[in-house]
């Protein structure tokens, strides 16, 4: 790796890590960081400009924009991580088994995955969420039902590459069982690319949750969620653009942080550790 490439990889890793860690800490300590109750309505101060008491002003119901942004960090990150965790619980075992076992098992699993992937994931999620009804729970369920297939296919591809390497052949020759090879060698060496995938994709999940909440299919008002805040601010987009700008910047920053973290976690093939 050249010095320039190494520098940019480290810069991406540190920058993304700082952004993500800051967002996680804000989410964890949100109840202690919000200056006022994010759900407190005060019509008398609706659409107030920034002030010492309300640094980012108030929205159309007189609620603190800063408080709702901070509380929204907790909501958005928690549900994005929840979706990612559920997707990985389904896709990782399927991808590992399909890639390692091969044969008829692989063919059956891949045909199921192909059926799910035959439809655009976001459109299918939108259709499922619409059928189940507008709620954040139904939206998260729709994402899990659709997005596991793409992850399983990627993980299968990673396993197909790893199982042909010399140290896997050596493990087989030494008498290791299939379970030992799968868990000790393949799963451990697939951990880094799966971590990179998760780091990058969690930004996409967060963006999709906010997008469908903006359309009214996810979190519902008065929940302090970034997509809901964007939807509430639409009527004031031209007169008070800061109401849409703030949650939009929050989404952009956190998504960029996860993408930079994922890029920084990548490393050349030659530097992969072989267990």
């Amino acid at each position: 790796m050249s010095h320039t490439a190494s520098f940019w990889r480290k810069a991406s890793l540190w920058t993304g890590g700082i952004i993500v860690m800051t967002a996680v800490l804000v989410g964890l300590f949100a109840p202690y960081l919000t200056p006022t109750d994010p759900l407190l309505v005060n019509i008398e101060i609706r659409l107030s400009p920034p002030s010492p008491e309300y640094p980012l002003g108030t929205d159309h119901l007189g609620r603190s924009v800063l408080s709702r942004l901070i509380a929204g960090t907790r909501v958005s990150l928690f549900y994005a991580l929840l979706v990612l965790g559920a997707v990985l619980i389904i896709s990782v075992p399927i991808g590992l088994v399909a890639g390692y076992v091969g044969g008829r098992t692989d063919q059956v699993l891949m045909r199921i995955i192909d059926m799910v992937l035959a439809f655009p994931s976001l459109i299918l999620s939108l259709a499922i969420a619409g059928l189940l009804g507008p709620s954040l729970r139904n939206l998260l369920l729709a994402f899990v039902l659709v997005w596991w297939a793409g992850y399983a296919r990627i993980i299968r591809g990673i396993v197909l590459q790893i199982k042909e390497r010399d140290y896997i052949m050596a493990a087989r020759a030494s008498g290791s069982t299939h379970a030992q090879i799968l868990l000790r060698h393949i799963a451990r060496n697939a951990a880094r690319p799966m971590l990179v995938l998760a780091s990058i994709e969690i930004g996409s999940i967060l963006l999709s949750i906010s997008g469908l909440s903006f359309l009214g299919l996810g979190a519902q008002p008065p929940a302090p969620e970034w997509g809901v805040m964007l939807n509430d601010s639409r009527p004031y987009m031209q007169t008070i653009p800061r109401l849409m700008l703030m949650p939009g910047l929050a989404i952009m920053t956190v998504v960029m942080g996860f993408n930079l973290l994922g890029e920084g976690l990548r490393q050349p093939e030659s530097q992969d550790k072989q267990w």
Side-chain angles (χ1 to χ4, degrees):
M1 177 189 296
S2 67
H3 293 295
T4 303
S6 177
F7 169 78
W8 284 114
R9 187 177 70 83
K10 291 180 180 178
S12 296
L13 180 63
W14 280 100
T15 304
I18 291 172
I19 293 174
V20 170
M21 184 56 65
T22 301
V24 169
L25 291 175
V26 169
L28 287 175
F29 297 102
Y32 308 100
L33 297 176
T34 51
T36 60
D37 185 348
L39 299 179
L40 180 63
V41 175
N42 188 349
I43 299 298
E44 294 180 358
I45 57 171
R46 65 186 299 270
L47 302 177
S48 297
S51 64
E53 186 177 0
Y54 300 100
L56 296 180
T58 60
D59 64 6
H60 64 296
L61 294 178
R63 299 169 297 191
S64 170
V65 174
L66 178 60
S67 295
R68 290 180 64 78
L69 276 179
I70 294 173
T73 305
R74 188 176 202 178
V75 173
S76 299
L77 277 182
F78 172 76
Y79 286 113
L81 289 171
L82 183 64
V83 170
L84 179 64
V87 166
L88 290 179
I89 288 173
I90 298 172
S91 61
V92 169
I94 293 176
L96 288 174
V97 170
Y100 182 73
V101 176
R104 186 177 297 275
T105 301
D106 181 35
Q107 292 179 5
V108 171
L109 291 174
M110 289 309 298
R111 296 297 77 77
I112 297 174
I113 290 172
D114 289 340
M115 289 172 57
V116 177
L117 294 178
F119 302 91
S121 59
L122 189 58
I123 301 299
L124 186 56
S125 299
L126 183 64
I128 294 174
L131 288 173
L132 295 176
S135 75
L136 190 54
R137 183 187 63 183
N138 292 339
L139 176 62
L140 301 183
L141 178 61
F143 278 134
V144 173
L145 291 175
V146 172
W147 284 29
W148 70 268
Y151 285 77
R153 177 184 284 276
I154 294 173
I155 293 168
R156 170 185 175 270
I158 294 171
V159 173
L160 288 175
Q161 293 179 358
I162 293 175
K163 78 173 188 176
E164 299 300 329
R165 294 180 180 174
D166 293 338
Y167 57 90
I168 301 297
M169 304 297 181
R172 288 174 179 164
S174 66
S176 297
T177 64
H178 292 302
Q180 289 174 332
I181 294 173
L182 193 59
L183 297 176
R184 292 184 182 178
H185 300 284
I186 293 180
R188 291 181 68 178
N189 282 279
R192 177 177 287 273
M194 285 192 289
L195 179 61
V196 173
L197 174 66
S199 299
I200 294 176
E201 288 300 316
I202 192 172
S204 300
I205 294 173
L206 192 151
L207 190 62
S208 298
I209 291 175
S210 298
L212 293 187
S213 293
F214 172 77
L215 296 176
L217 293 174
Q220 300 297 306
E225 197 271 339
W226 292 337
V228 172
M229 292 179 67
L230 285 171
N231 188 35
D232 289 342
S233 305
R234 280 188 304 114
Y236 311 99
M237 182 171 58
Q238 294 183 346
T239 56
I240 313 178
R242 60 178 170 80
L243 293 179
M244 291 197 76
L245 182 63
M246 293 298 107
L249 285 176
I251 295 171
M252 183 193 74
T253 302
V254 175
V255 171
M256 181 181 66
F258 279 109
N259 288 342
L260 289 173
L261 181 61
E263 289 294 330
L265 289 172
R266 287 182 179 177
Q267 64 180 8
E269 183 82 9
S270 61
Q271 291 186 352
D272 285 346
K273 292 182 179 180
Q274 296 181 359
W275 300 91

